[in-house]
Amino acid sequence: IFAEKINKQFGSKIIFQNVSFHLRPREKVGLVGENGAGKTTLFKVIVGTESLDSGQVVLRKELRYGLLEQGQGQGKETALERVVLGDPYFLKIKNEMEMLATNQKFQDRYGELQNEFERLGGYSREAQAKTILQGLGFKPKQWESSLEKLSGGWRMRVELSRILLQQPDVLLLDEPSNHLDLQSVVWLESFLQSYEGSVLLISHDRKFLNTLVTRVFELDRATLTIYQGNYDDYEKQREAKQD
């Protein structure tokens, strides 16, 4: 992901002023700043749900991203159904496969779909989903709970599970350790440490950031400053600049 001299303001409030950065493959970066600094807006700009006044954000061709936002995931489907089938691309492949399964005229197309289904872990997807849900604190009896009966914190865990199962090229995670107990946070740290994609992470959890990130992007007064190292390194460098 490349951002080049991006500018954005809401009314008289400037959110970004000539902000540039590059999120590299397999890199884990912490995005920090005061509340209202524009961290969540930056995520929306990256995925294209928020426009820019000028500048550009360029995503590598065919890049797949997973975005965890606060307040997602409601409906009558169960927690397990949401995690397994909550990927529109996978669902499209699955539905087309089922539609063509008994039609001999489309065997070549069915073979292509089956290969893609296997690449996406279709046959082991439910087992993987259960492993992730358990890692994030779900008991087996909760897998069949409908989303509408879950609290906001548990729905957030479902959404996080859904995104982790997809294994996208880039994870954009807004406060993923919110609502998690210590055991679930430790599991998530371990999962993300071995994750092969890139991670851009908004968090106020200092230990979480220290464990995971190798660079810190700080948004402060509409400008973005890049620091090398984890959160402790960022604080030391920031203090040294202010002295």
Side-chain angles (χ1 to χ4, degrees):
I1 297 175
F2 291 88
E4 187 176 11
K5 295 182 178 178
I6 63 173
N7 291 278
K8 175 76 178 175
Q9 66 184 83
F10 294 120
S12 61
K13 184 178 180 182
I14 298 171
I15 309 298
F16 310 129
Q17 189 164 37
N18 288 327
V19 164
S20 299
F21 64 85
H22 173 206
L23 181 67
R24 301 185 287 244
R26 303 189 70 168
E27 181 178 44
K28 295 169 179 67
V29 174
L31 178 59
V32 304
E34 297 292 328
N35 287 338
K39 302 185 296 295
T40 300
T41 302
L42 183 59
F43 274 12
K44 290 179 178 178
V45 163
I46 289 171
V47 303
T49 57
E50 191 70 63
S51 62
L52 287 168
D53 298 329
S54 63
Q56 62 176 347
V57 174
V58 180
L59 275 57
R60 193 191 75 219
K61 192 178 179 186
E62 297 183 356
L63 180 99
R64 295 181 311 116
Y65 64 81
L67 171 64
L68 177 71
E69 298 177 282
Q70 298 299 310
Q72 288 181 310
Q74 298 184 30
K76 294 185 186 298
E77 61 195 326
T78 69
L80 185 59
E81 286 169 344
R82 175 67 178 162
V83 176
V84 174
L85 301 176
D87 177 351
Y89 178 68
F90 172 76
L91 194 56
K92 177 173 169 285
I93 297 293
K94 180 177 179 292
N95 288 343
E96 192 178 349
M97 263 182 73
E98 289 171 354
M99 193 171 67
L100 299 181
T102 57
N103 195 325
Q104 295 297 316
K105 287 195 297 185
F106 297 100
Q107 283 307 297
D108 287 348
R109 176 59 180 160
Y110 184 82
E112 290 171 12
L113 291 167
Q114 192 168 35
N115 288 337
E116 187 65 359
F117 186 80
E118 288 175 3
R119 189 187 70 79
L120 294 168
Y123 295 111
S124 60
R125 199 173 180 87
E126 187 168 311
Q128 291 175 324
K130 289 175 179 178
T131 298
I132 293 171
L133 283 165
Q134 280 189 293
L136 292 174
F138 274 83
K139 302 285 190 290
K141 64 183 179 182
Q142 291 175 284
W143 296 338
E144 301 306 324
S145 300
S146 68
L147 294 179
E148 62 187 2
K149 291 181 179 174
L150 295 174
S151 68
W154 284 102
R155 285 200 302 270
M156 191 280 292
R157 294 186 196 215
V158 171
E159 287 305 293
L160 180 54
S161 301
R162 179 181 70 84
I163 290 162
L164 296 182
L165 181 66
Q166 291 176 27
Q167 299 208 8
D169 303 307
V170 176
L171 287 168
L172 302 168
L173 303 179
D174 189 349
E175 300 285 0
S177 60
N178 272 12
H179 309 293
L180 296 185
D181 56 84
L182 180 58
Q183 194 173 352
S184 298
V185 170
V186 170
W187 182 90
L188 181 59
E189 282 177 358
S190 176
F191 184 97
L192 293 177
Q193 278 176 313
S194 60
Y195 191 71
E196 294 192 356
S198 304
V199 180
L200 186 57
L201 170 69
I202 299 172
S203 180
H204 289 91
D205 186 332
R206 180 194 194 111
K207 181 181 177 300
F208 194 63
L209 288 168
N210 271 334
T211 301
L212 288 170
V213 307
T214 55
R215 285 202 295 166
V216 172
F217 294 171
E218 181 195 50
L219 269 174
D220 181 36
R221 285 168 290 188
T223 63
L224 186 136
T225 308
I226 297 173
Y227 296 85
Q228 301 299 321
N230 63 14
Y231 191 84
D232 284 348
D233 298 324
Y234 148 73
E235 281 203 324
K236 288 172 193 164
Q237 292 169 59
R238 195 168 185 269
E239 283 172 20
K241 275 175 66 177
Q242 291 171 345
D243 289 344

